C-alpha cells in the first residue's frame, strides 16, 4: 500500500546549493504533512510540517511546499550544509482521526558534499 | 529539551521468547505510539494509545502484541512469542494531543533481533 511515496531513494548536492526532496501521496483524506530527518541508529527527528489549508511553510533554511491538486509536497533546504546529510522521510496523517496514525514514505537519502 | 527515551537500545532474543520494549514519553504528552521499521523498508505504524486504551492499531498489531502504561511514566510494547519477522527497529513516539495537527516526537529506537 503505497499511499505516500518518495520516488528518489537518494540525492546528492553540493554544500551551499539548494536541496529539493519530493513526496507524493494518493490518499486525498490526508490533510497534515510532516518531514522528519533520520541519522543512522537514531529515531526520526521532526523538521517541519504543513497543514492542507496552506501551500507553504517556512522555518529557517527549511521550506515545505504543498500542491494539493497534484497531491505533491516538497522540502527545500537552502543553503544545504554537510550536517544535513541524512535520510528524510515525509509523513502524512488525517486530522481528526482518533488514532493519529502517520503514514510514511520510503525516505530519500540526502548527501551534501563539502 | 525534553525527549522520548527507549530501553534497551538493542535486544537479541530467541524465536518464541517474550520481549518487552520500554519507552518513557515526553512528560506532558498524552498520546503514545509504536512504529517499527524492518531493515530496508518503510517506517510502519503499529498502535496508538490514549487514556489507557488503544486508539488505533494496524493489521501488523495482532494478538502477539500488547501495549501498557504500567505507571505514570513508562509505555511498553510486549511481543508475546517473537517470530523471525519481528526483527526490526521499534520506535516509540508521543504527542501532546492526538486529533489535531499534532507533531509526534520519536525516541531513538530499540533494535530487536530475533534468532
Amino acid at each position: 500500500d503505497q499511499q505516500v511515496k518518495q520516488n528518489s531513494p537518494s540525492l546528492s548536492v553540493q554544500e551551499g546549493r539548494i536541496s529539493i526532496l519530493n513526496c507524493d501521496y494518493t490518499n486525498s483524506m490526508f490533510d497534515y504533512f510532516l518531514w522528519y530527518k533520520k541519522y543512522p541508529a537514531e529515531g526520526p527527528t521532526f523538521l517541519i510540517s504543513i497543514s492542507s489549508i496552506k501551500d507553504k511553510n517556512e522555518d529557517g533554511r527549511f521550506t515545505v511546499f504543498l500542491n494539493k491538486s497534484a497531491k505533491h509536497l516538497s522540502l527545500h533546504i537552502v543553503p544545504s550544509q554537510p550536517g544535513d546529510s541524512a535520510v528524510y522521510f515525509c509523513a502524512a496523517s488525517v486530522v481528526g482521526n482518533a488514532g493519529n496514525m502517520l503514514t510514511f514514505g520510503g525516505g530519500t537519502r540526502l548527501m551534501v558534499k563539502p | 529539551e525534553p525527549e522520548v527515551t527507549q530501553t534497551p537500545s538493542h535486544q537479541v532474543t530467541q524465536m518464541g521468547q517474550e520481549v518487552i520494549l520500554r519507552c518513557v514519553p515526553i512528560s506532558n504528552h498524552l498520546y503514545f505510539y509504536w512504529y517499527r521499521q524492518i531493515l530496508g523498508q518503510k517506517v510502519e505504524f503499529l498502535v496508538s494509545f490514549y487514556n489507557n486504551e488503544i486508539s488505533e492499531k494496524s493489521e501488523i498489531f495482532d494478538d502477539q502484541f500488547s501495549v501498557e502504561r504500567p505507571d505514570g511514566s513508562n509505555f511498553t510494547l510486549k511481543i508475546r512469542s517473537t517470530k523471525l519477522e519481528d526483527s526490526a527497529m521499534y520506535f516509540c513516539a508521543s504527542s501532546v494531543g492526538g486529533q489535531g495537527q499534532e507533531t509526534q516526537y520519536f525516541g531513538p529506537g530499540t533494535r530487536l533481533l530475533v534468532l
Side-chain angles (χ1 to χ4, degrees):
Chain A
D1 182 5
Q2 299 265 18
Q3 294 191 72
V4 179
K5 284 184 76 170
Q6 294 176 253
N7 289 317
S8 298
S10 65
L11 174 68
S12 181
V13 300
Q14 206 67 36
E15 181 179 5
R17 307 294 287 267
I18 185 170
S19 296
I20 301 176
L21 299 110
N22 294 303
C23 179
D24 297 293
Y25 61 96
T26 57
N27 187 346
S28 57
M29 298 292 291
F30 288 144
D31 49 10
Y32 187 56
F33 304 90
L34 308 92
W35 284 94
Y36 287 87
K37 177 169 76 171
K38 187 180 180 302
Y39 294 117
E42 294 185 13
T45 301
F46 171 71
L47 274 177
I48 192 168
S49 61
I50 189 166
S51 159
S52 61
I53 62 172
K54 294 184 173 182
D55 53 21
K56 177 183 173 181
N57 189 26
E58 194 170 350
D59 183 2
R61 297 186 297 115
F62 303 92
T63 304
V64 55
F65 296 92
L66 175 62
N67 182 333
K68 288 188 294 294
S69 60
K71 296 192 180 69
H72 175 85
L73 63 154
S74 61
L75 174 68
H76 292 210
I77 307 172
V78 57
S80 302
Q81 299 172 355
D84 295 329
S85 297
V87 177
Y88 288 77
F89 293 96
C90 67
S93 69
V94 178
V95 173
N97 180 319
N100 201 31
M101 175 181 85
L102 289 179
T103 301
F104 280 83
T108 296
R109 182 177 303 279
L110 173 66
M111 291 163 283
V112 180
K113 299 180 198 171
Chain B
E1 186 176 320
E3 57 185 21
V4 177
T5 60
Q6 290 184 242
T7 54
S9 58
H10 295 78
Q11 173 108 35
V12 181
T13 190
Q14 295 291 324
M15 190 170 58
Q17 295 296 303
E18 175 183 286
V19 295
I20 297 176
L21 309 183
R22 291 181 167 78
C23 168
V24 178
I26 295 172
S27 62
N28 64 331
H29 287 190
L30 300 177
Y31 289 77
F32 315 118
Y33 313 86
W34 284 100
Y35 291 81
R36 78 173 185 190
Q37 185 179 27
I38 294 171
L39 189 63
Q41 297 186 23
K42 291 185 176 185
V43 176
E44 302 172 289
F45 171 81
L46 292 178
V47 66
S48 57
F49 189 86
Y50 167 71
N51 199 26
N52 278 318
E53 59 182 36
I54 291 173
S55 304
E56 186 174 10
K57 60 183 180 180
S58 71
E59 58 189 28
I60 302 168
F61 194 89
D62 61 22
D63 291 344
Q64 294 298 314
F65 291 89
S66 63
V67 289
E68 191 179 30
R69 187 148 164 87
D71 54 44
S73 59
N74 288 284
F75 178 51
T76 63
L77 174 69
K78 182 193 290 186
I79 310 174
R80 257 180 278 280
S81 178
T82 50
K83 301 185 275 247
L84 296 176
E85 55 264 37
D86 293 327
S87 295
M89 280 290 287
Y90 287 81
F91 296 108
C92 174
S94 67
S95 63
V96 174
Q99 297 190 37
Q101 296 170 3
E102 300 293 342
T103 297
Q104 295 179 27
Y105 294 88
F106 285 76
T110 294
R111 182 173 297 281
L112 176 65
L113 179 60
V114 181
L115 302 176

